[in-house]
Amino acid sequence: MTRTILVNKDNPIKNNYLKKIELVDVKNIYDEDIQVEKEAYDNFLKLQKFLNSIELEIGIASAYRSIEEQEKIQDYYMDKYGKEYCDEYVAPPSCSEHHTGLAIDFYIKVDGAYPSDDPKVYKDLEYYKTVEKYLKNYGFILRYPEDKKSITGYSYEPWHIRYVGKFVASIIYENNLTLEEYVNNFSGLIAVNKKKGMTSFDVVNEISHLFGIKRVGHTGTLDPLAEGVLIVAIGKATKVVELVTSKNKEYIADVLLGIRTDTRDITGKVIDKSEDIDISNLDEVINSFKKTYMQEVPIYSAVKVKGKKLYEYARNNESVELPKKEVTIESLEILDRKDNEFRIKTTVSKGTYIRSLIDDIGEELGCHATMKTLTRTSQASINIEEASTLEEIEEGNYKLLSIEYVLDYPIQVVDKILEKKISNGQRVDNNYNVIDKIIFKNKKDKLLGIYEVDGNELKVWKNF
């Protein structure tokens, strides 16, 4: 069940949606049998209990509706109030949020009675305003706020709330968004401090579920053994995954001498051992790796050869010629050493495997070397101190980073004439001494696009 499913005049309910939700049977304020999605109802009861404590009594008037029920409601209001009213307040069949079971029409009891019709709610609007500020604490949003009709397609409805979960409800409330604005436009980058044992895709799935947004991607795989900075892109920010991935990364790794494994790290099967370990020339070897060279891709990796991932060859015990890639070791230093172990800190280019680097160092030393631990301490302009764990993110303790903050390209604010050209993806003159890429924004601080050098001009790399 997707809490942030968007159902409106442009997005009718999918036929298979009901297979994914659990509806519970309840009584509404008119003692009629209705249904509500279970999680939404559980949290409505908590909201109801809290409001009772401040002497506000609320009850459900309507929740889940079938398409047939929505047809009857539309016919009723069409006869009673006409087409203009229906266009503002009544969704066409298949386009009603009530089909999700997550939308609730509630009323407040005033002077011992609930209002008998929607328009009468406005007489007691101050009570609904009071309820509105508490909705996010229980995972609800006001679905059709004031002054947002041009976005939602409906006039203000103080009685219509929608369950999206506490995390998303807080973002929507604090940023004064509608569900349409959140689902379609919410974007940015989050620096996640990945813990050991998780794959990068595990992190992506967690972020996607938490934010209720499908368009999520990471900017450079971290193996389950590794921890540290994993920059995750959400929404439109996924357009720059390639750019963030291409930036240099910094790592700290612990190296164990004397053994070699099939995975080139401590999690693998030992395939060879060194009897004699002599690291008297360790400093010299380390310094020799500050270079650009052709590095062999480890067989336990997702790189494809002849249409098949390398780790598939390994798991099937099939032989394959391992490809080599050009990598650059920008910096490499020893932080600590003890007996047959030492710790390194390195900054490397895109595509560098630290496991392979350590294996190569071992070969130069004349004894095997295996990666014991790995921490990515920075990527692009983001260091580990700026990264948040998944637990911290779930608690709301994180920063949503802008594209321009993460990418260290020059930023140029343009006038309306140039804004129009950029928005249309037209080439522009390179009057800014750009040598690679540039970020264009308008005077309202809106990101317009990223352009790159092409001869004496700039051409669009990505538009926003």
Side-chain angles (χ1 to χ4, degrees):
M1 188 269 290
T2 305
R3 298 168 181 161
T4 53
I5 180 174
L6 182 62
V7 178
N8 56 25
K9 293 174 182 177
D10 298 318
N11 298 278
I13 192 77
K14 300 287 193 299
N15 290 331
N16 65 347
Y17 176 80
L18 283 179
K19 297 176 183 178
K20 302 176 183 178
I21 66 171
E22 181 181 357
L23 296 170
V24 294
D25 299 319
V26 301
K27 292 282 188 181
N28 69 3
I29 56 176
Y30 310 116
D31 201 36
E32 297 169 335
D33 293 321
I34 63 168
Q35 291 181 304
V36 192
E37 192 278 327
K38 186 180 185 304
E39 188 178 334
Y41 183 63
D42 289 343
N43 282 277
F44 180 84
L45 292 178
K46 294 174 184 177
L47 171 64
Q48 188 180 52
K49 182 178 180 181
F50 166 75
L51 291 174
N52 282 342
S53 72
I54 60 172
E55 299 183 342
L56 277 177
E57 187 174 345
I58 66 171
I60 299 176
S62 178
Y64 167 73
R65 296 174 194 159
S66 66
I67 293 174
E68 292 73 24
E69 287 178 285
Q70 190 66 24
E71 286 177 343
K72 292 177 182 177
I73 288 172
Q74 186 182 49
D75 290 342
Y76 170 80
Y77 281 103
M78 186 72 75
D79 290 341
K80 188 169 184 177
Y81 296 111
K83 185 177 184 303
E84 186 176 344
Y85 177 89
C86 283
D87 287 343
E88 290 200 19
Y89 294 105
V90 184
S94 299
C95 299
S96 172
E97 274 221 320
H98 288 283
H99 299 322
T100 69
L102 299 166
I104 293 175
D105 287 345
F106 76 98
Y107 286 152
I108 298 175
K109 186 178 284 188
V110 180
D111 297 328
Y114 288 109
S116 58
D117 206 350
D118 292 346
K120 294 184 179 179
V121 168
Y122 290 101
K123 293 183 178 180
D124 303 303
L125 198 54
E126 61 182 285
Y127 297 111
Y128 287 88
K129 294 284 190 183
T130 300
V131 172
E132 184 180 332
K133 63 185 178 182
Y134 297 113
L135 292 175
K136 68 180 186 302
N137 299 338
Y138 301 90
F140 291 95
I141 60 169
L142 182 66
R143 184 62 182 89
Y144 304 119
E146 294 180 272
D147 304 321
K148 294 277 189 171
K149 180 184 175 181
S150 61
I151 298 170
T152 65
Y154 296 102
S155 292
Y156 174 46
E157 292 187 359
W159 60 83
H160 186 117
I161 60 176
R162 163 67 188 272
Y163 184 73
V164 293
K166 291 182 185 179
F167 186 85
V168 174
S170 293
I171 296 174
I172 288 176
Y173 180 83
E174 290 163 9
N175 293 280
N176 190 30
L177 303 175
T178 63
L179 188 58
E180 281 82 3
E181 291 170 305
Y182 178 77
V183 170
N184 295 326
N185 301 320
F186 185 82
S187 67
L189 297 138
I190 297 178
V192 179
N193 189 347
K194 186 187 92 66
K195 63 182 180 182
K196 292 180 184 178
M198 298 188 75
T199 68
S200 298
F201 288 106
D202 289 338
V203 174
V204 166
N205 289 337
E206 288 284 340
I207 294 294
S208 178
H209 176 73
L210 187 60
F211 283 84
I213 293 175
K214 292 182 179 179
R215 289 177 63 191
V216 178
H218 68 75
T219 59
T221 302
L222 275 178
D223 293 333
L225 171 67
E227 57 188 338
V229 179
L230 181 68
I231 299 177
V232 176
I234 299 174
K236 293 179 181 178
T238 54
K239 291 184 176 183
V240 300
V241 162
E242 177 187 338
L243 288 182
V244 181
T245 303
S246 69
K247 298 295 183 181
N248 285 359
K249 305 171 183 68
E250 181 188 83
Y251 297 91
I252 291 176
D254 287 317
V255 181
L256 176 63
L257 295 169
I259 65 169
R260 194 182 199 214
T261 71
D262 55 354
T263 60
R264 306 297 186 260
D265 63 43
I266 201 67
T267 67
K269 178 184 177 182
V270 176
I271 56 176
D272 204 356
K273 292 185 177 182
S274 301
E275 296 298 329
D276 298 316
I277 299 175
D278 180 7
I279 57 171
S280 57
N281 64 335
L282 178 60
D283 290 322
E284 181 183 343
V285 169
I286 290 294
N287 286 330
S288 73
F289 273 90
K290 299 174 187 176
K291 62 183 180 180
T292 297
Y293 76 108
M294 297 302 292
Q295 184 185 78
E296 188 176 80
V297 176
I299 193 164
Y300 278 92
S301 67
V303 173
K304 287 187 176 181
V305 173
K306 296 180 180 178
K308 189 160 64 173
K309 294 178 180 178
L310 284 176
Y311 66 72
E312 294 176 320
Y313 287 99
R315 290 172 182 172
N316 295 331
N317 292 317
E318 298 178 57
S319 61
V320 61
E321 184 177 348
L322 297 176
K324 290 187 176 183
K325 290 187 175 182
E326 183 178 276
V327 300
T328 299
I329 313 303
E330 297 284 352
S331 66
L332 181 62
E333 62 178 304
I334 300 172
L335 297 181
D336 193 20
R337 67 183 85 189
K338 183 179 180 181
D339 300 327
N340 64 336
E341 296 185 22
F342 61 92
R343 177 173 292 177
I344 58 171
K345 179 180 179 180
T346 183
T347 301
V348 300
S349 65
K350 174 190 175 183
T352 303
Y353 287 88
I354 307 302
R355 288 177 285 152
S356 294
L357 171 62
I358 290 171
D359 186 64
D360 293 339
I361 290 171
E363 291 301 305
E364 286 295 314
L365 288 170
C367 62
H368 297 307
T370 294
M371 188 177 78
K372 187 178 179 182
T373 69
L374 181 66
T375 302
R376 185 187 285 165
T377 50
S378 73
Q379 180 181 1
S381 61
I382 307 301
N383 57 47
I384 199 166
E385 286 75 23
E386 296 178 82
S388 304
T389 65
L390 285 175
E391 291 78 13
E392 289 171 333
I393 294 170
E394 192 168 359
E395 293 171 359
N397 298 322
Y398 69 95
K399 288 182 179 179
L400 187 69
L401 308 172
S402 66
I403 289 171
E404 55 268 35
Y405 179 83
V406 176
L407 297 174
D408 55 352
Y409 297 129
I411 299 172
Q412 180 65 43
V413 178
V414 300
D415 59 25
K416 289 185 177 180
I417 296 175
L418 199 51
E419 177 180 352
K420 185 176 181 180
K421 292 184 70 175
I422 292 168
S423 298
N424 291 328
Q426 297 178 23
R427 287 173 173 262
V428 299
D429 293 330
N430 186 5
N431 298 323
Y432 313 101
N433 298 317
V434 180
I435 58 175
D436 183 11
K437 292 181 175 65
I438 186 171
I439 296 172
F440 285 116
K441 302 177 77 174
N442 67 12
K443 293 182 179 180
K444 294 183 179 180
D445 204 39
K446 179 184 177 182
L447 180 64
L448 301 174
I450 299 175
Y451 270 57
E452 62 183 354
V453 173
D454 186 26
N456 296 320
E457 295 181 311
L458 296 171
K459 67 176 182 179
V460 64
W461 184 84
K462 200 73 69 176
N463 253 357
F464 295 91

